[in-house]
Amino acid sequence: MNHNIPQHREHLVQQMVYIDENIKELTNLYNASTPVQEQLKNFFHLYLLELEELLSADQKSNLISSLPKVYIGTRVTVLFDDENDTEDFIICFPEESDPDSGCISFLSPVGRQLLLKKIGEKVMLKVPTGELPVVIKEITYVGHLFDEQQNMKEA
């Protein structure tokens, strides 16, 4: 976890509002891109509960000192066990997705598997070519970058 970069509560609250306002569309996208056995999980409910818990843990400030898990708006560094190599993924909303620059939707197969994972957690990433063992090495908040991009588009 990166303790030096402030985490903005406002961005996390905006995620909750976004999911709440777009729940039907997001559920349809989630169901269309998710294997049947995973669809049974109440994904959005779980994610919102995790955000509420994080936000309630530090109600005194607009800044959250660290993120214990991968959330939308974070950069996650994974270590590929077999190759001893790392890769960064920025977890974002579907409309912000740009795989060429490392921004992957939280609804994408890889994004969905990384969401809510903890530092040090081992994950078997299911990819089209099979399964890749990875370890979550670092989680850094970068949600403010999306806010800056949106402000530039609106200007």
Side-chain angles (χ1 to χ4, degrees):
M1 282 179 279
N2 189 332
H3 297 282
N4 298 325
I5 299 176
Q7 315 305 323
H8 297 276
R9 294 176 58 85
E10 183 179 321
H11 188 265
L12 298 174
V13 171
Q14 288 173 356
Q15 288 180 31
M16 294 174 70
V17 171
Y18 177 89
I19 290 171
D20 187 50
E21 290 176 350
N22 296 286
I23 194 74
K24 282 188 177 185
E25 179 183 337
L26 290 170
T27 300
N28 289 337
L29 286 168
Y30 176 76
N31 287 335
S33 67
T34 306
V36 174
Q37 68 272 21
E38 288 185 38
Q39 291 179 17
L40 300 176
K41 298 176 186 172
N42 196 344
F43 177 76
F44 294 108
H45 181 68
L46 174 64
Y47 186 78
L48 291 174
L49 285 175
E50 291 279 346
L51 278 180
E52 287 173 4
E53 185 178 311
L54 176 68
L55 292 168
S56 68
D58 187 5
Q59 292 192 359
K60 299 175 190 158
S61 167
N62 262 353
L63 303 177
I64 296 172
S65 58
S66 64
L67 290 174
K69 296 182 180 181
V70 176
Y71 295 97
I72 300 166
T74 58
R75 176 184 294 119
V76 57
T77 303
V78 299
L79 170 68
F80 294 93
D81 275 352
D82 294 344
E83 303 169 17
N84 202 22
D85 192 20
T86 62
E87 186 168 351
D88 289 341
F89 298 100
I90 297 173
I91 309 299
C92 63
F93 287 111
E95 63 272 9
E96 299 165 333
S97 179
D98 181 5
D100 291 338
S101 66
C103 294
I104 60 171
S105 168
F106 74 98
L107 294 175
S108 71
V110 171
R112 194 173 53 245
Q113 293 174 75
L114 293 175
L115 207 62
L116 300 179
K117 299 299 186 247
K118 299 176 190 175
I119 288 181
E121 189 167 344
K122 294 180 181 181
V123 179
M124 287 299 288
L125 279 183
K126 294 175 182 86
V127 295
T129 57
E131 291 187 343
L132 298 171
V134 300
V135 176
I136 308 298
K137 294 304 288 181
E138 186 176 1
I139 300 169
T140 308
Y141 179 77
V142 295
H144 58 283
L145 297 176
F146 295 112
D147 294 339
E148 292 169 7
Q149 289 174 351
Q150 185 63 34
N151 290 339
M152 288 174 50
K153 287 180 185 177
E154 292 173 0

